[in-house]
Amino acid sequence: MATFSRLVRFLAKDGRTYYGDAILPDGVTDIAKAKQAKIIRGQIFGKYDVTDQVEDIRLLLAPLALDDAKTVRCLGLNYEQHAKESNLPIPKFPVLFYKPITSLAGPTDPIPVHPLAQQGTGLDYECELVAIIGKACSDVPESSALDYVLGYAIGNDVSHRDWQLKHGGGQWSLGKGFDGWAPYGPGIVSSKIIKDPQNLQITTKLNGKTVQESSTKDMIFGIAKTIAFLSQGTTLLPGDLIFTGTPQGVGMGRKPQLWLKDGDIVEVGLEGVGSCVNKVEFTKPKSKL
């Protein structure tokens, strides 16, 4: 039974939503450029088959349906240079926080900014490698941790620094957990293709200008070490997503500081995976009838 190479979920030109294996031209690795995919039948985290049925891609969606996605875990301060720009010590253990599943969004969805998050300043971007768990695991050794990874995507851990650091009572999730503040994609590249996730270029462009540019080798806690650590006494489930931290160059760490504005275009990219391009959209207060 064939397994996928580059998993996508997409709206097809026939109006239906499918899981598929993206078809890319020779030499192209950016899933966002896929125009067609082979339809996948079955359960992504169970038995499935990559069929010979090909459909045209009208729109790429978040790689996992909400019914298939589980817990969204995130790491803070997991790149050495980012910790330094934040004027914080290098962590001795992974810094873990969570985002609600409603923060997940697709690779071209707008980033909605609720009126609450329009108050003050501090709206920020964070490009992050996202590891998706493919098999349940607990207490796994670092040496075999990558065996439990379904694949990798690129994501943006959108953050509001005031709500994260000043108004969150010491917890980060409030300032990072708004609806749509974890766009990821453009698909999931199989761990059979990306065998070494610690040697990938990772970037953010803001309105076409590069503001983050690094390599995943700068991670303090690599993917295998992270999974081994997080699975101690806690079962990781198929469909769990792990946002693995951001490199230096975030708006908070720049001089002068650089905050996202209404209408900005944010593009996060990961070598071998592709890019997500999302527009910042300030939403209006809902009218009270």
Side-chain angles (χ1 to χ4, degrees):
M1 183 175 67
T3 57
F4 74 83
S5 296
R6 295 174 175 86
L7 177 69
V8 291
R9 191 170 68 90
F10 66 99
L11 178 65
K13 290 186 177 179
D14 65 5
R16 300 176 64 184
T17 297
Y18 297 97
Y19 276 115
D21 193 1
I23 300 171
L24 291 175
D26 289 342
V28 175
T29 60
D30 185 349
I31 295 175
K33 291 181 167 52
K35 302 297 184 185
Q36 293 182 314
K38 293 183 177 180
I39 299 303
I40 293 176
R41 305 287 186 190
Q43 300 296 320
I44 294 301
F45 296 108
K47 292 183 178 179
Y48 69 85
D49 185 37
V50 179
T51 71
D52 291 327
Q53 179 186 347
V54 174
E55 293 289 344
D56 292 333
I57 296 172
R58 180 173 152 194
L59 178 68
L60 287 173
L61 307 173
L64 294 179
L66 284 183
D67 287 344
D68 290 326
K70 296 295 186 291
T71 303
V72 184
R73 292 175 174 83
C74 308
L75 297 189
L77 300 173
N78 194 35
Y79 281 72
E80 186 171 342
Q81 295 303 313
H82 176 52
K84 290 179 179 178
E85 75 173 351
S86 301
N87 295 314
L88 293 168
I90 303 297
K92 294 182 179 179
F93 301 97
V95 178
L96 175 65
F97 64 95
Y98 294 82
K99 285 198 174 206
I101 197 169
T102 48
S103 65
L104 294 175
T108 60
D109 290 342
I111 298 170
V113 181
H114 187 275
L116 187 67
Q118 296 174 29
Q119 300 174 12
T121 58
L123 189 61
D124 213 344
Y125 50 83
E126 293 190 3
C127 60
E128 308 206 3
L129 181 153
V130 182
I132 296 90
I133 299 297
K135 297 183 292 184
C137 61
S138 62
D139 296 310
V140 298
E142 184 178 342
S143 60
S144 61
L146 295 184
D147 295 342
Y148 297 89
V149 175
L150 179 75
Y152 304 97
I154 179 68
N156 187 351
D157 174 18
V158 182
S159 308
H160 193 290
R161 303 305 183 187
D162 278 358
W163 285 105
Q164 175 192 352
L165 302 171
K166 296 180 181 179
H167 312 313
Q171 301 294 318
W172 288 359
S173 292
L174 180 62
K176 288 172 169 281
F178 287 90
D179 287 353
W181 280 26
Y184 75 111
I188 298 172
V189 177
S190 169
S191 56
K192 299 190 305 293
I193 292 178
I194 297 180
K195 296 182 178 180
D196 180 10
Q198 303 306 148
N199 191 30
L200 303 173
Q201 293 297 305
I202 186 167
T203 59
T204 299
K205 293 180 181 179
L206 177 58
N207 298 322
K209 179 183 178 182
T210 299
V211 289
Q212 287 184 285
E213 188 170 17
S214 187
S215 169
T216 55
K217 63 185 176 184
D218 190 48
M219 282 186 189
I220 298 166
F221 305 101
I223 308 301
K225 187 180 290 293
T226 294
I227 291 171
F229 179 84
L230 295 180
S231 72
Q232 294 179 110
T234 302
T235 301
L236 304 183
L237 296 174
D240 280 358
L241 292 90
I242 305 173
F243 281 65
T244 57
T246 196
Q248 75 278 10
V250 297
M252 180 177 63
R254 304 178 79 89
K255 295 180 182 179
Q257 292 177 320
L258 178 63
W259 305 126
L260 297 177
K261 306 181 301 298
D262 187 28
D264 279 349
I265 304 296
V266 188
E267 178 180 349
V268 293
L270 182 66
E271 180 183 354
V273 173
S275 58
C276 297
V277 182
N278 306 93
K279 182 179 181 180
V280 177
E281 290 189 0
F282 282 25
T283 60
K284 297 180 179 179
K286 294 181 181 178
S287 59
K288 296 180 180 180
L289 299 178

